[in-house]
Amino acid sequence: MKLLKAIENFFKFFLPTPFTIAIFITIFTFILAFFLTDSNLSVGARGIELVSFWSEGMWKESMLAFAVQMMLMLVLGHTLALTRLVDRFMQSMTIYCTNSARAAFTVALLTILVSLFNWGLGLIFGAILARKVGEFAAKNNISLNYALVGAAGYSGMMVWHGGISGSAPIKAAESGHLKDLMEGAANDSVLAQLPDSISFSETIFSAMNLTSSLLLIIIVPLFMYLLGKRSANVDTLPKVKKEKKSRMVERPVGMDRVDHSVWFGKVIGGLIFLYVIYLCATHFGKSGFNIITPNFINLLLLGLSLLLHQNIVQFLKAIDQAIRGAAGILIQFPLYFGIMGLMIGSGLIGVFSDGFVEISTASDFPVFTYLSAAIVNIFVPSGGGQWGVQGPIIIQSAMELGASLPKSIMALAYGDQLTNMLQPFWALPLLGITGLKAKKILPYTLGMMVVGGIIFMFVLMIF
C-alpha cells in the first residue's frame, strides 16, 4: 500500500497536466538541441534557428492530417459506443456478472476484444460497461468489488496499440508516411532504403503480435477473475439511473424531418458500410492488409455510427458528447510535432540514435525500444504523439543496426500501451463515467501492467 500511495503522490505532486508536460518537454528538448548539437551560428542566431525548426514541425501538414485522423478515430469510436445496439449488448452481458470474479472477467474480456478493433470505442465501452455492471449489482443487491470491475474496464488501453487502430502500425501502413516522417532526419541513401509502407501482415497480423494478443485475451481476464475470487473488499456501488420520463417534443416540420428521420441516416450509413465491404472485396486480393489505413478505419466507424444511431439528431448529440475527449489531441499533438521538428532539424535525432546504436545490437534493440517507450509514455501519454516524437529515433536506429523495422514498431506500441496502466491520463473518461477514484483502481491496473509486461517481454524475446 505504501508503494501505491507513493505512486499516487508522484502523479499528484510532480506531474502537471499533459499539456504542461508537453511544454516542459519542448523546453528540455530545446536545451538539449542547443548544447548537444553542432552549429557555426552565434548564440542568438542558433536560438532563432531552433525555434524555426520547432515552428515548422508544429504546422507540418502531413502531421496535422495525422492529428485529425486520430481525433476522428477517438470521436467516432466513442460515438459508436453510444449507439442503442452497443448499449443493449452491454446490458445483456451484465446478467453474467453475479459476483466480483465473473464481473471482472466479463468486463476485461469484452473490453480487450473491443479495444483491439478501436481504441476510442474500447475506452468508452469499457467504462460504460463497468458502470452498468455496478448498477446491475446495486439493483440486485449483489456484493461487488466495483473498483476491480472499473479497472477491468480500463484493460483495453493495455492492448489497443497492438490492434488495428494502433497509431504507430496504422501510420506505418500508410503509403509514403515513413519517408515523410524521416524527411530531414535521414540522408537520401537511408530514405531510399525505407519501404514505402509496412503492411499489417508484418506488424498487427504478424505471428508475434497475434501471439501477444491471444495471450492478453486469455491471461488478463483470468488474472482479473482470480483477483475477484480473492477480493473481499466491496466498494460503494453507483446509484441506479432512473429512466427519465419522455417530454412532449415538437413535431419536426420541413427539412427538420430529414434530421429526425429514422431511415435517412441509416441509409447513408448503410451505403458507406457497403462501400467499405466493396473496398475489402476488390482491394484485399491486390494489396492485402495495406487497405487498412486511418482513413479506412474512420470511414468504417462513420458508416457504422450513422447506421446504428436512431437518426441524424441522435448521431450529432453523440458527436457533441464524444468530441470533448479529443481536446487533448487537438492541442497537444502540434506540440509533439514541434518537438519532432526540433529534433530533426537540429540533428538531435542523430545523437539519440547513435546512443541507441552504441548500447544495442540488432537482436536486442526491440527490447530497448520497448523499455524506453514504456518510460516515454509516462510523459507523452498519447500513442500518436509518442510515434511522432520517438518514431524517427527508432527508425533511424533500426536502420543503422539492421534491426527488424516492423518488430521495432511493435516494440514501441507495446511499451506505449503498457504504462497506460500507470499513467492516469486516459483513465479520466472512465473515472468520470464510473465515479471511481484513481487510487481505487490503481492496485489492479498495476497488477495488469505486471502481467502485460511479462507477456510483451516474452514475445519480443521469443520471436
Side-chain angles (χ1 to χ4, degrees):
M1 294 302 293
K2 289 183 179 179
L3 175 61
L4 297 177
K5 188 65 177 177
I7 294 173
E8 183 184 349
N9 288 337
F10 173 80
F11 281 106
K12 184 175 180 180
F13 294 106
F14 295 101
L15 286 184
T17 63
F19 180 75
T20 303
I21 292 175
I23 294 175
F24 285 158
I25 295 175
T26 301
I27 296 171
F28 183 63
T29 306
F30 184 92
I31 294 171
L32 290 180
F34 191 88
F35 288 104
L36 296 184
T37 58
D38 297 326
S39 175
N40 296 323
L41 299 175
S42 64
V43 173
R46 179 58 170 169
I48 294 296
E49 183 183 48
L50 292 177
V51 171
S52 69
F53 292 148
W54 171 76
S55 178
E56 290 171 6
M58 281 188 70
W59 314 123
K60 189 174 181 180
E61 292 182 5
S62 60
M63 299 310 291
L64 288 177
F66 171 39
V68 173
Q69 289 171 329
M70 294 302 106
M71 287 176 62
L72 283 171
M73 208 169 286
L74 172 60
V75 171
L76 291 173
H78 187 159
T79 301
L80 185 58
L82 299 176
T83 59
R84 281 188 177 182
L85 181 64
V86 174
D87 181 77
R88 289 172 181 169
F89 172 74
M90 288 189 286
Q91 199 69 46
S92 67
M93 291 295 104
T94 59
I95 62 174
Y96 302 106
C97 302
T98 53
N99 56 47
S100 294
R102 289 185 176 183
F105 177 88
T106 302
V107 173
L109 177 63
L110 294 176
T111 301
I112 288 172
L113 290 173
V114 172
S115 298
L116 287 171
F117 169 67
N118 176 262
W119 67 281
L121 174 60
L123 177 64
I124 305 304
F125 176 92
I128 297 176
L129 179 59
R131 172 83 190 198
K132 286 185 177 297
V133 169
E135 292 177 349
F136 173 80
K139 184 178 180 181
N140 294 276
N141 297 315
I142 298 173
S143 296
L144 199 69
N145 187 334
Y146 186 44
L148 177 65
V149 176
Y154 190 53
S155 59
M157 292 308 292
M158 196 177 68
V159 306
W160 77 276
H161 216 148
I164 62 173
S165 67
S167 301
I170 202 172
K171 287 304 292 183
E174 199 173 68
S175 178
H177 172 74
L178 293 177
K179 293 182 179 180
D180 184 70
L181 185 69
M182 295 303 293
E183 186 180 358
N187 55 44
D188 292 340
S189 61
V190 173
L191 288 175
Q193 296 175 39
L194 278 175
D196 180 63
S197 63
I198 297 177
S199 171
F200 263 31
S201 61
E202 299 178 81
T203 53
I204 299 301
F205 297 119
S206 65
M208 180 186 76
N209 192 59
L210 290 176
T211 301
S212 170
S213 298
L214 182 61
L215 290 174
L216 289 166
I217 291 170
I218 296 172
I219 295 176
V220 173
L222 287 176
F223 173 72
M224 299 302 282
Y225 179 86
L226 293 174
L227 286 181
K229 277 287 187 182
R230 298 189 176 191
S231 174
N233 297 323
V234 179
D235 291 291
T236 303
L237 296 172
K239 294 181 180 180
V240 179
K241 296 179 180 178
K242 295 182 179 180
E243 294 292 333
K244 295 181 179 180
K245 294 182 179 180
S246 59
R247 298 178 181 179
M248 294 296 294
V249 181
E250 291 185 9
R251 190 173 182 178
V253 295
M255 291 304 293
D256 193 36
R257 286 178 294 184
V258 175
D259 294 331
H260 288 81
S261 169
V262 175
W263 298 108
F264 181 71
K266 294 183 182 299
V267 169
I268 300 301
L271 290 173
I272 294 174
F273 184 66
L274 288 175
Y275 178 65
V276 169
I277 295 176
Y278 166 78
L279 288 177
C280 292
T282 56
H283 288 76
F284 187 81
K286 301 176 183 177
S287 55
F289 292 111
N290 284 339
I291 190 176
I292 303 177
T293 64
N295 294 335
F296 176 85
I297 294 292
N298 284 329
L299 184 65
L300 174 60
L301 291 172
L302 176 62
L304 288 174
S305 295
L306 286 169
L307 180 63
L308 298 179
H309 270 288
Q310 186 177 0
N311 51 43
I312 295 294
V313 171
Q314 294 301 318
F315 168 75
L316 292 177
K317 285 181 179 179
I319 289 288
D320 286 339
Q321 184 176 340
I323 204 166
R324 300 168 192 168
I329 295 178
L330 175 66
I331 198 63
Q332 290 171 45
F333 268 41
L335 287 178
Y336 297 141
F337 301 152
I339 293 169
M340 181 190 73
L342 182 56
M343 290 194 300
I344 290 175
S346 66
L348 194 58
I349 284 217
V351 175
F352 288 155
S353 62
D354 288 344
F356 263 113
V357 170
E358 288 181 7
I359 64 172
S360 309
T361 63
S363 58
D364 62 21
F365 175 71
V367 174
F368 280 106
T369 298
Y370 163 63
L371 296 174
S372 64
I375 296 172
V376 171
N377 180 60
I378 295 175
F379 303 97
V380 183
S382 162
Q386 185 166 349
W387 171 244
V389 173
Q390 197 175 4
I393 301 173
I394 291 172
I395 294 171
Q396 178 87 353
S397 303
M399 294 291 289
E400 291 185 26
L401 286 167
S404 169
L405 200 51
K407 186 175 180 179
S408 299
I409 290 172
M410 293 313 301
L412 177 141
Y414 295 156
D416 163 68
Q417 63 190 12
L418 177 68
T419 44
N420 280 335
M421 299 297 98
L422 179 66
Q423 161 64 258
F425 178 69
W426 289 114
L428 294 178
L430 178 134
L431 298 176
I433 291 171
T434 60
L436 289 164
K437 301 293 184 183
K439 64 182 179 181
K440 289 286 189 179
I441 70 169
L442 188 60
Y444 309 114
T445 60
L446 285 177
M448 285 193 289
M449 188 177 78
V450 172
V451 172
I454 295 172
I455 292 174
F456 297 137
M457 183 65 77
F458 171 77
V459 298
L460 284 171
M461 296 182 71
I462 293 297
F463 289 91

